[in-house]
Amino acid sequence: MKLSRWLPCLDWGRHYNRHHASQDGLAALIVTLMLIPQSLAYAMLAGLPPVMGLYASILPLLAYALFGSSRTLAVGPVAVVSLMTAAALQPLFPAGSAEYIGAAMLLALLSGLLLSVMAVLRLGFLANFLSHPVVSGFISASGILIAIGQLKHLLGISASGDSLLQLLPQLWRGLPAIHGPTLLIGLLSLAWLWWARAQLKPLLQRLGLSATAAGNVAKAGPVLAIIVAVVGVTGLNLDQAGVKVVGSIPQGLPGLTLPTLDLDLAMQLLPAALLISLVGFVESVSVGQTLAAKRRQRIQPDNELLGLGTANIAAAFSGGLPVTGGFARSVVNYDAGAQTPMAGVFTAVGIALSVMLLTPLLHNLPQAVLAATIIVAVLSLVDLASLKRTWRYSRQDGAAQLATLLGVLLIGVETGILLGMGLSLLLFLWRTSKPHMAVVGQVPGSEHFRNVERFSVIESPSVLSLRVDESLYFPNARYLEDRIGELIASRPQVRHLVLMCSGVNLIDASALDSLEAIVERLQTAGVHLHLSEVKGPVMDQLHRSSFLDELSGQVFISQFEALKTLSPQTLQTDPACTENQRHSAAQAGHPSSPK
């Protein structure tokens, strides 16, 4: 096994040059300016001291640079994972307490170990159980829940809860206690951040800056908000007037520490760690694949699992919280020209310098500014219009998305996403338990067979052609028996039933038992069962059973060949067309065995 398979840095590292370094350095500078306020804010969102967000943006970036496969993914604290961290820990310990901090580090360790084990066992497919509608509903609901949860910091009141049913009544009761200066700071920060996100770049371009330079400066909007807020609070002594500030932030790099090693607590946090791992992996891979495709690059899911796993382990041992690849900062990293994961290494150096030099300056940073930063960031994740699009396309997927959305908002984060996942799987089983089956007939003058209800086709009175458009497995095995029984009962003249299996990718043991029962019942009724267009892997499965020996009919390579053998007098062919099709098939080298 090549070492580079697990260490992608060996591939891009041997081609690293000065041009790459300059591009990565510029991207790192921009991402660092963006990551400082975000890291502080997302740690606060998780109920942790703000400095832990900075700690989680140093060693995890170095670990991902070694093991991750994406050239532009930016790892660190993100809003959704911070919300899930808070949801898992707040019922157990007081937010910000030593026990809470230790549990957060243990949660990061568990998530890192789970991701690393999944990488070694190549279990990335587990993330496929999070369907896109469920993820979309979860992210939109999380954005709404996070934004409403941060209103308490903007209003200067107390409120807590894991759902809207808990948060909204407390916010309502706290309205008479709104703190004026805090509200003013929060509203001004919101207005500036919202305006800077949409209007600052066009303004700078009109003033003569290039589009790239204007975009990079606009990304530093939150940093300017922090500077102005700190200066204002310090100059006007607003902290003495009741404005809540971040307070003392430890200066210096974090030491390597052990998270709380409590087996009972670990078992209690394991379900939350698994959900955080899956959600973080899905978000990271989605972003990584999107950005890689733009440069015609590829990412390896197993490497992403290992990269994110080691990043979380690094966070656990350096006083951080669970991390993953962030959408916004990864896009900024890409747009700023990052060429390799060295951009993440340079970003880690920038954060480390900030922790050593700048933390004393952040003492008077109002919590309302961090709350405004979170609100503006997460509202961009809310996409309620996707619910309408999904519902219009598939009501089953729309129902799963709606259930996830309402579950997260009204019950809680973990319950909501489990509800969406469970409903998705149940709806899938329900949908495939009644697969689409069409009676088909020959399109005149061709070798094609189509649904008799949709096309004008030719049917044989003695041969029933039934196309099955779904794999046959335990939920739909009985339905197949019932459907065939109905069709045979309504067609007493039928002597042959041909199952057209072009849409069948699997026949499990339950379906095989049903097919054997069907053969026996049809023989009793004087009808022979035949198969056509059976795919190679399915045929291999059938050869491992006694079914083909018990089959009363034959297995045909195509439906046309079946009708040609069983009822040639009903076929209507165009000789020239048929000859051309055979000639084309011969040129294409079509194999004679079913595929």
Side-chain angles (χ1 to χ4, degrees):
M1 183 183 296
K2 290 184 177 180
L3 186 61
S4 59
R5 183 185 183 281
W6 294 109
L7 288 173
C9 59
L10 297 179
D11 283 334
W12 58 260
R14 63 171 60 98
H15 304 294
Y16 201 70
N17 55 42
R18 185 175 300 176
H19 172 71
H20 291 156
S22 63
Q23 292 289 97
D24 289 341
L26 176 61
L29 175 62
I30 297 166
V31 173
T32 300
L33 293 176
M34 179 183 184
L35 195 54
I36 291 173
Q38 280 194 355
S39 298
L40 296 170
Y42 293 152
M44 186 179 75
L45 172 61
L48 296 164
V51 72
M52 289 186 67
L54 296 176
Y55 293 165
S57 303
I58 302 175
L59 287 187
L61 276 67
L62 303 180
Y64 181 83
L66 288 175
F67 298 100
S69 62
S70 172
R71 300 291 181 95
T72 52
L73 190 71
V75 173
V78 300
V80 172
V81 170
S82 295
L83 174 66
M84 297 178 73
T85 300
L89 301 182
Q90 284 179 354
L92 304 178
F93 306 106
S97 64
E99 295 83 0
Y100 190 99
I101 293 172
M105 295 165 61
L106 177 59
L107 190 60
L109 177 62
L110 290 173
S111 178
L113 292 175
L114 285 171
L115 288 165
S116 299
V117 170
M118 288 169 64
V120 174
L121 299 180
R122 300 185 180 184
L123 297 180
F125 70 90
L126 291 176
N128 295 335
F129 288 103
L130 285 171
S131 67
H132 182 268
V134 169
V135 172
S136 178
F138 171 71
I139 290 177
S140 292
S142 298
I144 296 171
L145 195 61
I146 290 169
I148 293 177
Q150 294 304 301
L151 290 179
K152 61 184 179 183
H153 296 297
L154 259 64
L155 302 175
I157 61 177
S158 297
S160 61
D162 297 327
S163 68
L164 293 185
L165 296 179
Q166 297 173 345
L167 280 170
L168 292 178
Q170 294 190 42
L171 288 172
W172 177 259
R173 287 193 294 268
L175 288 180
I178 290 177
H179 189 255
T182 300
L183 178 60
L184 180 61
I185 291 172
L187 291 179
L188 289 175
S189 300
L190 269 180
W192 160 253
L193 293 172
W194 208 272
W195 180 85
R197 176 181 285 260
Q199 303 297 329
L200 184 55
K201 179 180 177 180
L203 175 62
L204 294 174
Q205 286 183 272
R206 289 195 295 270
L207 293 177
L209 287 181
S210 66
T212 302
N216 293 338
V217 173
K219 298 295 189 303
V223 176
L224 181 59
I226 286 177
I227 294 172
V228 172
V230 169
V231 171
V233 169
T234 303
L236 299 175
N237 294 320
L238 293 180
D239 55 327
Q240 305 297 323
V243 173
K244 291 185 178 180
V245 297
V246 169
S248 298
I249 299 178
Q251 188 175 9
L253 295 175
L256 293 178
T257 57
L258 281 175
T260 301
L261 298 179
D262 185 330
L263 183 58
D264 293 335
L265 179 60
M267 296 304 297
Q268 198 170 356
L269 294 177
L270 192 59
L274 179 59
L275 282 179
I276 287 174
S277 300
L278 291 177
V279 170
F281 175 61
V282 169
E283 181 176 353
S284 295
V285 168
S286 299
V287 176
Q289 287 177 336
T290 300
L291 297 179
K294 292 182 178 181
R295 293 182 179 172
R296 299 191 178 185
Q297 298 171 348
R298 293 183 61 196
I299 67 170
Q300 299 297 331
D302 290 338
N303 288 114
E304 289 305 292
L305 283 168
L306 186 59
L308 294 174
T310 54
N312 277 281
I313 292 172
F317 285 98
S318 59
L321 64 150
V323 298
T324 192
F327 176 77
R329 71 174 67 104
S330 296
V331 172
V332 170
N333 197 39
Y334 175 89
D335 290 341
Q339 298 297 311
T340 71
M342 274 301 293
V345 175
F346 294 151
T347 300
V349 173
I351 298 293
L353 291 174
S354 302
V355 171
M356 290 189 294
L357 303 176
L358 301 181
T359 49
L361 303 178
L362 299 174
H363 180 281
N364 286 338
L365 173 61
Q367 293 183 5
V369 175
L370 295 181
T373 302
I374 293 173
I375 291 173
V376 172
V378 299
L379 286 183
S380 64
L381 303 176
V382 178
D383 183 13
L384 296 180
S386 69
L387 178 60
K388 182 178 179 181
R389 294 192 300 269
T390 304
W391 182 270
R392 185 186 299 120
Y393 181 76
S394 169
R395 292 194 175 184
Q396 295 168 358
D397 289 333
Q401 185 171 348
L402 180 62
T404 307
L405 184 79
L406 294 179
V408 172
L409 290 177
L410 302 179
I411 304 175
V413 175
E414 295 176 6
T415 305
I417 194 169
L418 288 174
L419 180 65
M421 290 172 61
L423 186 58
S424 288
L425 293 176
L426 286 175
L427 289 173
F428 170 77
L429 292 174
W430 177 79
R431 182 173 65 243
T432 56
S433 69
K434 294 185 177 181
H436 181 259
M437 297 184 188
V439 176
V440 298
Q442 181 200 13
V443 177
S446 75
E447 296 185 7
H448 301 293
F449 286 76
R450 294 293 184 267
N451 193 334
V452 298
E453 297 180 2
R454 295 176 180 269
F455 293 86
S456 177
V457 294
I458 301 170
E459 291 186 81
S460 168
S462 61
V463 179
L464 174 61
S465 300
L466 182 64
R467 191 186 70 217
V468 182
D469 295 331
E470 185 64 68
S471 292
L472 299 177
Y473 70 130
F474 65 94
N476 59 32
R478 182 58 60 87
Y479 180 77
L480 175 67
E481 295 181 42
D482 295 341
R483 179 65 173 147
I484 289 177
E486 292 174 4
L487 291 171
I488 294 298
S490 64
R491 291 170 166 79
Q493 72 279 22
V494 168
R495 293 294 174 263
H496 300 278
L497 170 63
V498 183
L499 278 185
M500 186 176 176
C501 300
S502 53
V504 177
N505 297 310
L506 168 73
I507 298 178
D508 75 354
S510 298
L512 183 64
D513 287 341
S514 292
L515 287 174
E516 291 172 347
I518 290 170
V519 170
E520 184 177 345
R521 293 171 191 170
L522 290 179
Q523 280 183 318
T524 303
V527 178
H528 297 286
L529 177 66
H530 309 268
L531 304 179
S532 74
E533 303 188 13
V534 183
K535 294 182 178 178
V538 177
M539 199 67 181
D540 293 340
Q541 276 188 301
L542 295 178
H543 277 303
R544 292 195 293 269
S545 72
S546 61
F547 174 75
L548 295 177
D549 298 327
E550 300 170 0
L551 185 64
S552 59
Q554 304 177 52
V555 179
F556 296 97
I557 192 171
S558 70
Q559 191 68 16
F560 181 83
E561 291 296 326
L563 267 292
K564 183 179 176 182
T565 300
L566 301 174
S567 184
Q569 69 277 7
T570 61
L571 287 179
Q572 184 183 108
T573 59
D574 180 346
C577 175
T578 304
E579 182 62 32
N580 288 337
Q581 289 176 346
R582 289 175 178 168
H583 181 66
S584 298
Q587 285 186 326
H590 286 187
S592 58
S593 60
K595 291 291 179 184

